[in-house]
Amino acid sequence: KKMEAMKNIDTELLDLDKQVEEAKRRQASLILQRANLQEMPSTWSSSGETLVEVTPDDDQYWSIHNKLKETMSNAWISKVWRVQNTSLWTYYSFHKDRLTMIDIDHNERHVWHGTSSLDPSIIYNDQQDGFMMQFSGMGFWGRGIYFANNSSYSDSYSYKPSENTQSDRPRSNKGEREMFLAKLLVGNEIFMNRDESNSKAQECARLTVPPTDAKSGLKYNTVTGKTGGSQVWIVYENGRAYPDYLIRYYKGKRDPERTPFEIREEAMRRTKRYSNNPKTKDVLPEFKSIIAAPAPKGVVTWEYYDNGWKPYGKTAQDALETAYQSFVGTSNTGNHKVQVLGGKNYNEWTYEVDLMTFVQTNIEHSAHTKRDVRRNTSL
């Protein structure tokens, strides 16, 4: 009887394996059908290659250059490749449309991701998921796919190319690293401060899915927090991030062989992307950033942490949001500090808020007290 029962179980398991394989084939077929209808990004070239090199005469190169140097001023780009993977873009677009269908703002961001010891080609050559939970390990916010605002944070998890690097990328030089600048659909996010208490840290570490939003009854799309001086975002499903660019870089003194131009203006003039007309030869082409900035539709509330998250007064709210929109409108390269009034009756102290680190400093208090700040779009 035991042998017969085991045989029946094995037969059922084989049937399930066949169903899973059939479902995968069906998914691949549907993605292909959607790809035929899906518009590809305007920045893509007509090249049939998955990796397309972005050169210094392209604004995309300098957008990435600026974002890399926001928190790693001594970093220099060796190579930038744009990932043109139709299947992955189609799957990502499906998730974007799914958020639209349930009336959730995309809250799309460009974020950093290091693959540690995993060759990035495993991700950008994949035809189904790209960033996969299957490759994820445990972190401060449980087992998920982690992305960071700061390049300096992801640098710690960057990939070190070697002689075993895939043939679709040239061999690297000593000291070079690689990481992705990815597009992430943050959606409805919840900030979880693991430093709040030991119990909160344990709660975060046990996460396998985001917690539920008490107002909507639906799970948040993304968990966010701060660690290592950077804001991070964690997703617990495949398909919500696209490996937009792969960056190979190094740190230290600029090497003219690998990085021929220090600034965009030099590159544009050397490559003659400006008019030969003497009257206009010093006018450079308009800089067009490719860095995605979120544009939330709902209520935005600025808050500081003082034994719990507390909102700023209305005047400070307006000043912070105006400064924030101006900051992200310059691809996070403009003025990132703003002064606001706060404290008792919202006018007791003058605070300086750093929009890059999301830290508030009391510039009038002798101790220059600092507090965490957040831009809450999940109310």
Side-chain angles (χ1 to χ4, degrees):
K1 289 184 178 180
K2 287 184 178 180
M3 290 298 294
E4 185 177 350
M6 289 176 64
K7 184 178 180 180
N8 291 335
I9 291 173
D10 289 344
T11 300
E12 189 172 348
L13 286 172
L14 286 172
D15 287 341
L16 287 173
D17 283 342
K18 291 178 181 177
Q19 291 177 35
V20 169
E21 288 302 316
E22 178 56 34
K24 288 181 178 178
R25 283 195 292 270
R26 179 60 177 159
Q27 182 188 42
S29 174
L30 289 172
I31 288 175
L32 184 60
Q33 292 178 42
R34 199 180 200 279
N36 291 330
L37 303 172
Q38 176 73 47
E39 289 188 9
M40 296 299 116
S42 60
T43 54
W44 284 20
S45 69
S46 58
S47 170
E49 301 295 323
T50 299
L51 278 189
V52 177
E53 185 172 354
V54 179
T55 54
D57 63 346
D58 193 317
D59 279 341
Q60 295 172 64
Y61 179 99
W62 295 101
S63 293
I64 296 162
H65 165 93
N66 291 342
K67 188 161 181 64
L68 180 71
K69 280 182 165 289
E70 279 177 11
T71 55
M72 282 202 301
S73 59
N74 65 335
W76 298 96
I77 290 174
S78 294
K79 294 278 187 183
V80 176
W81 295 278
R82 184 174 55 248
V83 178
Q84 299 187 178
N85 185 318
T86 302
S87 296
L88 292 187
W89 180 257
T90 301
Y91 193 41
Y92 176 79
S93 299
F94 160 73
H95 280 274
K96 181 181 284 190
D97 291 344
R98 183 170 65 91
L99 290 176
T100 301
M101 289 171 64
I102 55 178
D103 200 28
I104 292 179
D105 194 284
H106 302 153
N107 198 4
E108 187 177 57
R109 291 176 175 269
H110 263 113
V111 288
W112 297 100
H113 179 86
T115 61
S116 297
S117 59
L118 183 71
D119 192 312
S121 65
I122 302 297
I123 293 173
Y124 66 69
N125 278 329
D126 187 58
Q127 296 299 305
Q128 189 167 318
D129 298 300
F131 296 108
M132 288 178 272
M133 283 291 296
Q134 293 89 324
F135 294 132
S136 300
M138 294 297 295
F140 287 147
W141 287 269
R143 184 170 176 266
I145 310 173
Y146 285 66
F147 300 91
N149 181 68
N150 294 1
S151 59
S152 57
Y153 179 87
S154 293
D155 173 60
S156 301
Y157 302 92
S158 58
Y159 177 75
K160 182 179 180 181
S162 66
E163 292 181 359
N164 297 322
T165 296
Q166 295 292 318
S167 60
D168 55 357
R169 307 198 303 282
R171 293 178 63 175
S172 64
N173 293 303
K174 184 178 179 181
E176 291 183 331
R177 313 287 297 192
E178 293 177 345
M179 61 183 172
F180 284 111
L181 182 60
K183 276 190 173 180
L184 175 66
L185 297 170
V186 175
N188 192 16
E189 63 185 319
I190 179 172
F191 184 92
M192 298 187 70
N193 182 12
R194 62 177 303 276
D195 296 323
E196 182 179 307
S197 64
N198 287 334
S199 60
K200 176 60 73 172
Q202 293 172 11
E203 177 191 350
C204 291
R206 290 193 298 267
L207 287 172
T208 55
V209 294
T212 300
D213 183 346
K215 290 187 177 181
S216 68
L218 301 174
K219 288 184 176 64
Y220 287 93
N221 303 114
T222 305
V223 170
T224 185
K226 291 183 70 175
T227 183
S230 177
Q231 185 168 4
V232 295
W233 292 268
I234 307 92
V235 296
Y236 303 86
E237 61 178 330
N238 299 348
R240 291 241 316 281
Y242 179 80
D244 213 9
Y245 295 89
L246 178 66
I247 294 89
R248 179 178 288 179
Y249 65 98
Y250 60 96
K251 291 185 286 186
K253 185 178 179 181
R254 180 174 70 92
D255 176 4
E257 291 294 321
R258 291 181 282 178
T259 313
F261 306 110
E262 185 174 1
I263 58 175
R264 173 181 176 264
E265 286 75 7
E266 181 186 0
M268 296 302 156
R269 289 191 170 94
R270 290 280 186 90
T271 55
K272 300 183 179 179
R273 278 194 61 201
Y274 63 100
S275 173
N276 289 321
N277 187 329
K279 295 181 179 180
T280 60
K281 69 177 182 178
D282 291 327
V283 179
L284 291 169
E286 180 185 0
F287 180 70
K288 297 178 181 178
S289 175
I290 51 85
I291 303 299
K297 299 174 183 174
V299 176
V300 173
T301 303
W302 284 88
E303 301 169 326
Y304 62 93
Y305 193 84
D306 182 10
N307 294 320
W309 289 105
K310 298 178 181 179
Y312 287 91
K314 185 180 185 309
T315 302
Q317 293 273 352
D318 293 343
L320 286 166
E321 183 62 17
T322 299
Y324 174 80
Q325 292 298 337
S326 176
F327 179 51
V328 298
T330 60
S331 305
N332 298 358
T333 60
N335 181 33
H336 57 91
K337 293 183 179 180
V338 58
Q339 291 187 6
V340 296
L341 294 176
K344 188 177 181 181
N345 298 321
Y346 301 118
N347 61 3
E348 182 181 12
W349 301 100
T350 299
Y351 299 101
E352 183 176 80
V353 178
D354 191 322
L355 299 174
M356 186 175 292
T357 61
F358 276 68
V359 172
Q360 163 192 288
T361 303
N362 188 330
I363 60 176
E364 293 184 331
H365 196 283
S366 59
H368 292 287
T369 310
K370 295 181 182 293
R371 300 190 187 279
D372 285 336
V373 172
R374 73 175 182 180
R375 181 176 181 268
N376 193 345
T377 62
S378 58
L379 296 177

